[in-house]
Amino acid sequence: MGALINGPLPRLLLARAGQAVLVAVMVGVLTFVLVRALPGDMAYRIAAGRYGFDWVSTAAAEAVRQDLGLDQPAPLALLAWLWDLLRLDLGQSLVTGQTVAEEVGHQFGHSLLLAASAAGLSLLIGPPLGALAGLRPGGVLDRGLLLVAVLMRSVPPFTVGVVLILLLSVQARLLPAAGSGSLAHTILPMLTLALCLAAVSARVSRDAVAGVTASAFYTFGRTKGLGGGLVFWRHGLRNAGVPVLTYFGVQFVGLVEGMVVIETLFAWPGIGHALVHAVVARDVPMIQGAALAMGLFVVAMNTVIDVVCALLDPRGGPS
Amino acid sequence: MIRTVAGMTAQRWMGAALLLTLLGFGWGVPLVWSVDPAKQDLMLLLTPPDFDWADGVTLLGTDHLGRSLLTRLASAVRLSLGLALIGVVTAAVPGVLLGMVAGWSGGWVDRGLSLLADAVFALPGLLLVLLVLAIAPGSFIALYVGIALLLWLEFFRVVRAQVRRLRQAPAVQASLLLGLGPVLLVRRHLWPELAPVVLTLAAFGAAATVMATAALGFVSVGLRPPVAELGLMMTELLPYYEEAPWALAQPVAVMVLLGLSLTLLAGKDPR
């Protein structure tokens, strides 16, 4: 554990904290521009919300404008906007009237369930297959896997989802095509995301394992009489694990992007689905809340990966 | 990989050939068949392909509004590849230039530019495009700005790292000692090393553009009907799967071919 504290970890954690702040600022600035670009006068809309549509008058709108400082120049207004964001005061959804924090918290649970099960499943599919291919580079499995991986990388995840829906739920009638609530509903979106993630992690594991088995220490392990399984367990797995895990962190970006599209495709009540609906309804507080939650999720998961990598390889963090 | 002519792998040649075929399809179809991709004919709903070369409307069949799938697909290919091309070019020029400046000069210029890049990079790419697109929904310009904003980053990061490394190289140091000018340095030492990487990044960027456009169109926050766009076409044709599986299969197939051609052309991932 001493290596953890003295090693590169504190600097990495600091960088991740900085990244989290940058996510918040980016989301804040973009949604601020979004609000300013909306047609109409914001003061009238807020006045309608406060006093009811029948009581909106120019005087009431002026009062709101004075009260909230809406006539401030843009840079000051932006600072006020970011200050609200910093205090995690996200406001209320314009559509449902509930606080954004409540809504996002509810949807995030669903998304987390989907993301965690998809990531778990992809780890069961991708790295083992990749490792098997890497132990015998140029073999049948290696070539076949390369072909599948290139194909999967060439299409956006929703295409895979559409093909799976057509095969498994429309043709074979095995699984429900959309919705949530039961285990059966989880399988298709989970499988779609997991397959897309596994296609990439299998290639990375293959390269990592092929690299390790070609190294001098691995050959020495074999020479001193260790069996194929034992030498892989003792010398191969941990060394190949670090690049695979680092890449797994990169994949969380893809996972979040996949969430937006896959949740919409399968009508999964998660945060990506909420974001798309908020964009369609121009529900700015919800857009901000959902985007913030997804951005911070990526940063948080990458921090976890950093710590695990530092535990696996105390020599120095991933570059 | 098998090395072939001009230092390109067989894989890249396949990608280039596939891309040329798609370009020929996209821009060639309107020259041969002058059918408006938005023209509806409700008497011809979901007509199966008849492979009658004289008739551009039913050659590949029609969609649920009786529009010609042939010209709609060609129009969608032109849209995707056109957007990819201008997106990549407008992202590559500032990305490469800023990357060179940051990597070469170091110091506060480098720190400032890197901070800017980190800020953009902090958000997942599709989220960034989605937020920019939310400002002006359905607008081609907003989609283009979002994509260019996302793509310049990859060029900046990779070029900056390469230039930092190259600056320390003995050849560059010798040229600096001889007092050679910046134009010669870039042309002689930097660009030859950067060019292959930049081209690979360009192909990946184009693939990312094509996929993001389709993904956003598919969840109906991207471009709007009646524009012919691959993701939109899939959403529109999905309900008619039972009646016309061949109709849905066409945009899916074109999407796969487009993605495949650009990924093959890109070659190995430099990251």
Side-chain angles (χ1 to χ4, degrees):
Chain A
M1 287 307 276
L4 269 188
I5 293 158
N6 300 323
L9 203 60
R11 227 188 56 236
L12 269 175
L13 289 183
L14 205 66
R16 288 291 179 207
Q19 199 189 359
V21 174
L22 283 180
V23 166
V25 171
M26 275 302 284
V27 171
V29 170
L30 280 171
T31 40
F32 178 77
V33 175
L34 176 54
V35 169
R36 290 264 156 164
L38 283 178
D41 189 335
M42 206 166 20
Y44 281 88
R45 224 164 332 118
I46 296 173
R50 279 191 183 179
Y51 311 119
F53 278 101
D54 295 342
W55 298 95
V56 178
S57 63
T58 310
E62 272 316 310
V64 168
R65 202 189 306 279
Q66 292 299 326
D67 187 22
L68 295 181
L70 291 179
D71 49 356
Q72 284 172 337
L76 271 180
L78 177 61
L79 281 182
W81 180 272
L82 289 178
W83 175 239
D84 277 349
L85 186 61
L86 206 65
R87 291 181 299 150
L88 289 179
D89 180 3
L90 295 173
Q92 296 172 339
S93 161
L94 301 180
V95 174
T96 63
Q98 279 187 301
T99 61
V100 169
E102 223 169 278
E103 294 257 316
V104 166
H106 174 70
Q107 291 143 353
F108 202 65
H110 285 275
S111 283
L112 213 55
L113 175 70
L114 182 61
S117 51
L121 187 62
S122 86
L123 278 183
L124 288 182
I125 305 173
L129 271 179
L132 279 179
L135 285 174
R136 196 168 288 188
V140 181
L141 181 64
D142 191 21
R143 281 151 187 261
L145 215 55
L146 176 67
L147 191 71
V148 175
V150 168
L151 264 180
M152 295 278 290
R153 275 194 68 171
S154 308
V155 295
F158 74 85
T159 321
V160 179
V162 168
V163 170
L164 283 181
I165 288 183
L166 294 183
L167 287 181
L168 294 181
S169 76
V170 180
Q171 287 289 11
R173 303 201 178 278
L174 286 176
L175 297 162
S180 78
S182 74
L183 186 66
H185 287 104
T186 321
I187 295 178
L188 269 185
M190 179 180 77
L191 194 63
T192 308
L193 270 178
L195 283 180
C196 294
L197 293 178
V200 186
S201 64
R203 284 312 292 170
V204 177
S205 329
R206 180 245 171 235
D207 289 346
V209 169
V212 168
T213 48
S215 71
F217 64 81
Y218 201 82
T219 320
F220 179 70
R222 294 286 298 179
T223 322
K224 77 179 179 190
L226 290 178
L230 204 57
V231 73
F232 181 68
W233 180 251
R234 282 204 193 152
H235 300 289
L237 204 54
R238 191 160 168 161
N239 281 303
V242 175
V244 173
L245 261 179
T246 311
Y247 205 83
F248 193 62
V250 176
Q251 280 193 305
F252 274 103
V253 175
L255 190 60
V256 162
E257 293 184 0
M259 250 151 60
V260 173
V261 181
I262 298 297
E263 283 179 2
T264 310
L265 173 60
F266 290 102
W268 184 263
I271 199 114
H273 190 229
L275 179 63
V276 168
H277 275 247
V279 168
V280 172
R282 314 215 79 184
D283 185 351
V284 180
M286 268 309 290
I287 295 179
Q288 172 163 285
L292 188 68
M294 295 175 90
L296 290 181
F297 171 69
V298 172
V299 178
M301 289 326 289
N302 274 305
T303 316
V304 173
I305 298 284
D306 281 349
V307 173
V308 176
C309 279
L311 279 173
L312 273 180
D313 183 2
R315 288 171 302 181
S319 53
Chain B
M1 285 292 150
I2 322 143
R3 289 255 149 207
T4 47
V5 214
M8 289 229 301
T9 56
Q11 181 200 342
R12 285 192 142 177
W13 277 111
M14 267 163 60
L18 202 52
L19 187 62
L20 273 180
T21 316
L22 285 164
L23 283 170
F25 173 74
W27 272 270
V29 162
L31 296 180
V32 182
W33 294 278
S34 53
V35 180
D36 182 353
K39 175 149 190 328
Q40 306 181 1
D41 186 341
L42 299 181
M43 300 303 284
L44 289 174
L45 300 188
L46 296 171
T47 316
D50 59 4
F51 304 108
D52 172 11
W53 293 95
D55 185 4
V57 180
T58 51
L59 176 62
L60 290 182
T62 59
D63 69 2
H64 58 296
L65 294 174
R67 295 175 293 194
S68 158
L69 276 175
L70 174 73
T71 49
R72 280 184 74 71
L73 281 177
S75 167
V77 168
R78 286 199 302 276
L79 177 87
S80 287
L81 285 179
L83 184 64
L85 185 72
I86 59 168
V88 164
V89 169
T90 41
V93 172
V96 170
L97 288 179
L98 290 176
M100 280 188 180
V101 169
W104 189 267
S105 58
W108 63 268
V109 178
D110 182 27
R111 276 202 294 279
L113 285 172
S114 294
L115 187 73
L116 186 68
D118 283 345
V120 182
F121 192 68
L123 270 185
L126 197 67
L127 223 53
L128 178 75
V129 181
L130 190 61
L131 285 181
V132 174
L133 201 56
I135 295 169
S139 124
F140 182 82
I141 302 289
L143 182 63
Y144 157 69
V145 169
I147 280 171
L149 206 58
L150 173 69
L151 290 182
W152 77 275
L153 209 70
E154 220 35 63
F155 289 100
F156 172 79
R157 288 159 65 91
V158 173
V159 167
R160 173 180 168 271
Q162 291 263 348
V163 169
R164 271 171 81 94
R165 184 179 60 79
L166 285 172
R167 208 197 150 159
Q168 305 303 325
V172 175
Q173 291 291 324
S175 293
L176 278 176
L177 281 175
L178 286 171
L180 298 178
V183 176
L184 189 127
L185 267 172
V186 169
R187 228 178 50 198
R188 179 94 190 145
H189 292 296
L190 298 187
W191 185 244
E193 295 270 333
L194 291 176
V197 185
V198 169
L199 285 182
T200 297
L201 284 179
F204 271 121
T209 307
V210 169
M211 288 190 214
T213 309
L216 292 173
F218 186 74
V219 295
S220 47
V221 287
L223 297 173
R224 299 229 166 125
V227 173
E229 193 273 314
L230 292 172
L232 262 180
M233 288 175 76
M234 285 187 227
T235 327
E236 289 168 359
L237 292 169
L238 197 52
Y240 305 99
Y241 166 73
E242 289 285 358
E243 299 91 331
W246 42 265
L248 178 60
Q250 291 181 34
V252 174
V254 171
M255 182 74 239
V256 172
L257 289 179
L258 260 180
L260 196 61
S261 71
L262 291 167
T263 325
L264 287 178
L265 189 64
K268 202 164 165 48
D269 197 332
R271 275 166 293 176

